[in-house]
Coordinates of all heavy atoms in Angstrom, one line a residue:
Chain K
M126 N -8.9 -3.5 -1.6 CA -9.9 -2.5 -1.1 C -11.1 -3.2 -0.6 O -11.4 -4.3 -1.1 CB -10.3 -1.5 -2.2 CG -9.2 -0.7 -2.8 SD -9.9 0.5 -4.0 CE -10.3 -0.6 -5.4
P127 N -11.7 -2.7 0.4 CA -13.0 -3.3 0.9 C -14.1 -3.1 -0.1 O -13.9 -2.3 -1.1 CB -13.3 -2.5 2.2 CG -12.6 -1.2 2.1 CD -11.4 -1.5 1.2
N128 N -15.2 -3.7 0.1 CA -16.4 -3.7 -0.7 C -16.2 -4.3 -2.1 O -16.7 -5.4 -2.3 CB -16.9 -2.2 -0.9 CG -17.3 -1.6 0.4 OD1 -17.8 -2.3 1.3 ND2 -17.1 -0.3 0.6
L129 N -15.4 -3.7 -3.0 CA -15.2 -4.3 -4.3 C -13.7 -4.1 -4.5 O -13.2 -2.9 -4.6 CB -16.0 -3.7 -5.4 CG -16.0 -4.3 -6.7 CD1 -16.8 -5.7 -6.7 CD2 -16.6 -3.4 -7.8
S130 N -12.9 -5.2 -4.7 CA -11.5 -5.0 -4.9 C -11.2 -4.5 -6.3 O -12.0 -4.4 -7.1 CB -10.8 -6.4 -4.7 OG -11.0 -7.2 -5.8
G131 N -9.9 -4.1 -6.4 CA -9.5 -3.6 -7.7 C -9.6 -4.6 -8.8 O -10.0 -4.3 -10.0
L132 N -9.3 -5.8 -8.5 CA -9.4 -6.9 -9.5 C -10.9 -7.2 -9.9 O -11.2 -7.3 -11.0 CB -8.8 -8.2 -8.9 CG -8.7 -9.3 -9.9 CD1 -7.6 -9.0 -11.0 CD2 -8.4 -10.7 -9.3
E133 N -11.8 -7.1 -8.9 CA -13.2 -7.3 -9.2 C -13.7 -6.2 -10.0 O -14.6 -6.3 -10.9 CB -14.0 -7.5 -7.9 CG -13.7 -8.7 -7.1 CD -14.0 -10.0 -7.9 OE1 -15.0 -10.1 -8.6 OE2 -13.1 -10.9 -7.9
F134 N -13.3 -5.0 -9.7 CA -13.6 -3.8 -10.5 C -13.2 -3.9 -11.9 O -13.9 -3.7 -12.9 CB -13.1 -2.5 -9.8 CG -13.2 -1.3 -10.5 CD1 -14.3 -0.9 -11.2 CD2 -12.1 -0.4 -10.6 CE1 -14.4 0.3 -11.9 CE2 -12.2 0.8 -11.2 CZ -13.3 1.2 -11.9
L135 N -11.9 -4.4 -12.1 CA -11.4 -4.6 -13.4 C -12.2 -5.6 -14.2 O -12.5 -5.4 -15.4 CB -9.9 -5.1 -13.3 CG -9.2 -5.5 -14.6 CD1 -9.1 -4.4 -15.6 CD2 -7.8 -6.1 -14.3
K136 N -12.6 -6.7 -13.5 CA -13.5 -7.7 -14.2 C -14.8 -7.1 -14.7 O -15.2 -7.4 -15.8 CB -13.8 -8.8 -13.2 CG -12.6 -9.8 -13.0 CD -13.0 -10.8 -11.9 CE -11.9 -11.7 -11.6 NZ -12.2 -12.7 -10.5
K137 N -15.4 -6.2 -13.9 CA -16.6 -5.5 -14.3 C -16.4 -4.7 -15.5 O -17.2 -4.6 -16.4 CB -17.2 -4.7 -13.1 CG -18.0 -5.4 -12.1 CD -18.5 -4.5 -11.0 CE -19.3 -5.2 -10.0 NZ -20.7 -5.5 -10.5
V138 N -15.3 -3.9 -15.5 CA -14.9 -3.0 -16.6 C -14.7 -3.8 -17.9 O -15.2 -3.5 -18.9 CB -13.7 -2.2 -16.2 CG1 -13.1 -1.4 -17.4 CG2 -14.0 -1.2 -15.1
R139 N -14.0 -4.9 -17.7 CA -13.6 -5.7 -18.9 C -14.8 -6.5 -19.5 O -14.8 -6.8 -20.7 CB -12.4 -6.6 -18.6 CG -11.1 -5.9 -18.5 CD -10.6 -5.4 -19.8 NE -9.3 -4.7 -19.7 CZ -9.2 -3.3 -19.7 NH1 -10.3 -2.5 -19.8 NH2 -8.0 -2.8 -19.5
S140 N -15.8 -6.8 -18.6 CA -16.9 -7.6 -19.1 C -18.0 -6.7 -19.6 O -19.0 -7.2 -20.1 CB -17.4 -8.5 -18.0 OG -17.9 -7.7 -16.9
D141 N -17.9 -5.4 -19.6 CA -18.9 -4.5 -20.2 C -18.3 -4.0 -21.5 O -17.3 -3.3 -21.5 CB -19.1 -3.3 -19.2 CG -20.3 -2.5 -19.6 OD1 -20.3 -2.0 -20.8 OD2 -21.2 -2.2 -18.8
A142 N -19.1 -4.2 -22.6 CA -18.6 -3.9 -23.9 C -18.2 -2.4 -24.1 O -17.3 -2.0 -24.8 CB -19.6 -4.3 -25.0
T143 N -19.0 -1.5 -23.3 CA -18.7 -0.1 -23.4 C -17.3 0.3 -22.9 O -16.7 1.2 -23.4 CB -19.8 0.7 -22.6 OG1 -21.1 0.2 -22.9 CG2 -19.7 2.2 -22.8
F144 N -16.9 -0.4 -21.9 CA -15.6 0.0 -21.2 C -14.5 -1.1 -21.4 O -13.4 -0.9 -20.8 CB -15.9 0.2 -19.7 CG -17.1 1.0 -19.4 CD1 -18.2 0.5 -18.8 CD2 -17.1 2.4 -19.7 CE1 -19.3 1.3 -18.5 CE2 -18.2 3.1 -19.5 CZ -19.3 2.6 -18.9
A145 N -14.7 -2.1 -22.2 CA -13.8 -3.2 -22.3 C -12.4 -2.8 -22.7 O -11.4 -3.5 -22.3 CB -14.4 -4.3 -23.2
K146 N -12.3 -1.7 -23.4 CA -10.9 -1.3 -23.9 C -10.4 -0.1 -23.1 O -9.3 0.4 -23.4 CB -11.0 -1.0 -25.4 CG -11.2 -2.2 -26.2 CD -11.1 -1.8 -27.7 CE -11.3 -3.1 -28.6 NZ -11.2 -2.8 -30.0
L147 N -11.1 0.2 -22.0 CA -10.6 1.4 -21.2 C -9.3 1.1 -20.5 O -9.1 0.1 -19.9 CB -11.7 1.6 -20.1 CG -11.6 2.8 -19.2 CD1 -11.5 4.1 -20.0 CD2 -12.9 2.9 -18.3
P148 N -8.3 2.0 -20.7 CA -7.0 1.7 -20.1 C -7.1 1.6 -18.6 O -7.7 2.5 -17.9 CB -6.2 3.0 -20.5 CG -6.8 3.5 -21.8 CD -8.3 3.2 -21.6
F149 N -6.5 0.6 -18.1 CA -6.7 0.2 -16.6 C -5.3 -0.2 -16.0 O -4.7 -1.1 -16.5 CB -7.7 -0.9 -16.5 CG -8.3 -1.1 -15.1 CD1 -9.6 -0.9 -14.9 CD2 -7.5 -1.4 -14.0 CE1 -10.2 -1.0 -13.7 CE2 -8.1 -1.5 -12.8 CZ -9.4 -1.4 -12.6
V150 N -4.9 0.6 -15.0 CA -3.6 0.3 -14.3 C -3.9 0.0 -12.9 O -4.6 0.7 -12.2 CB -2.7 1.6 -14.4 CG1 -1.4 1.4 -13.6 CG2 -2.4 1.9 -15.9
L151 N -3.4 -1.1 -12.4 CA -3.5 -1.5 -11.0 C -2.3 -1.1 -10.2 O -1.2 -1.2 -10.7 CB -3.7 -3.0 -10.9 CG -5.1 -3.6 -11.0 CD1 -5.0 -5.1 -11.0 CD2 -5.9 -3.2 -9.8
V152 N -2.5 -0.5 -9.1 CA -1.5 0.0 -8.2 C -1.6 -0.8 -6.9 O -2.6 -0.7 -6.2 CB -1.6 1.5 -7.9 CG1 -0.4 1.9 -7.0 CG2 -1.6 2.3 -9.2
T153 N -0.6 -1.6 -6.5 CA -0.8 -2.4 -5.4 C 0.5 -2.9 -4.7 O 1.5 -2.9 -5.4 CB -1.7 -3.7 -5.7 OG1 -1.9 -4.5 -4.6 CG2 -1.0 -4.4 -6.9
A154 N 0.4 -3.3 -3.5 CA 1.5 -4.0 -2.8 C 1.6 -5.5 -3.1 O 2.5 -6.1 -2.7 CB 1.4 -3.7 -1.3
E155 N 0.6 -6.0 -3.8 CA 0.5 -7.4 -4.1 C 1.2 -7.7 -5.3 O 0.6 -7.7 -6.4 CB -1.0 -7.9 -4.2 CG -1.9 -7.6 -3.0 CD -1.6 -8.6 -1.9 OE1 -0.9 -9.6 -2.1 OE2 -2.2 -8.5 -0.8
A156 N 2.5 -8.0 -5.2 CA 3.3 -8.2 -6.5 C 3.7 -9.7 -6.6 O 4.7 -9.9 -7.4 CB 4.5 -7.3 -6.4
E157 N 3.1 -10.6 -5.9 CA 3.5 -12.0 -6.1 C 3.1 -12.5 -7.5 O 2.0 -12.0 -8.0 CB 2.9 -12.8 -5.0 CG 3.5 -12.5 -3.6 CD 2.7 -12.9 -2.4 OE1 2.7 -14.1 -2.2 OE2 2.2 -12.1 -1.8
P158 N 3.8 -13.4 -8.1 CA 3.6 -13.8 -9.4 C 2.2 -14.3 -9.7 O 1.6 -13.9 -10.8 CB 4.6 -15.0 -9.6 CG 5.6 -14.8 -8.6 CD 5.0 -14.1 -7.5
Q159 N 1.5 -15.0 -8.8 CA 0.2 -15.4 -9.1 C -0.8 -14.3 -9.1 O -1.8 -14.3 -9.9 CB -0.3 -16.5 -8.0 CG -0.6 -16.0 -6.6 CD 0.7 -16.0 -5.7 OE1 1.8 -15.9 -6.2 NE2 0.5 -16.1 -4.4
F160 N -0.5 -13.2 -8.4 CA -1.4 -12.0 -8.4 C -1.2 -11.3 -9.8 O -2.2 -10.9 -10.4 CB -1.1 -11.0 -7.3 CG -1.6 -11.5 -5.9 CD1 -0.7 -12.1 -5.0 CD2 -2.9 -11.4 -5.6 CE1 -1.1 -12.6 -3.8 CE2 -3.3 -11.9 -4.3 CZ -2.4 -12.5 -3.5
V161 N 0.0 -11.1 -10.2 CA 0.3 -10.5 -11.5 C -0.3 -11.3 -12.6 O -1.0 -10.7 -13.5 CB 1.8 -10.3 -11.7 CG1 2.1 -9.7 -13.0 CG2 2.5 -9.5 -10.6
A162 N -0.2 -12.6 -12.5 CA -0.7 -13.5 -13.6 C -2.2 -13.3 -13.7 O -2.8 -13.3 -14.8 CB -0.3 -14.9 -13.3
E163 N -2.9 -13.3 -12.5 CA -4.3 -13.2 -12.5 C -4.8 -11.8 -13.1 O -5.8 -11.8 -13.8 CB -4.8 -13.3 -11.0 CG -6.3 -13.0 -10.8 CD -7.2 -14.1 -11.3 OE1 -6.7 -15.0 -12.0 OE2 -8.4 -14.0 -11.1

Side-chain angles (χ1 to χ4, degrees):
Chain K
M126 298 182 288
N128 300 326
L129 190 71
S130 74
L132 190 70
E133 292 304 315
F134 171 43
L135 172 62
K136 283 178 186 172
K137 278 183 178 284
V138 169
R139 288 291 179 257
S140 61
D141 187 309
T143 312
F144 311 113
K146 290 185 176 178
L147 187 54
F149 198 115
V150 175
L151 270 173
V152 184
T153 180
E155 301 282 354
E157 288 163 73
Q159 71 271 26
F160 288 101
V161 178
E163 174 70 355

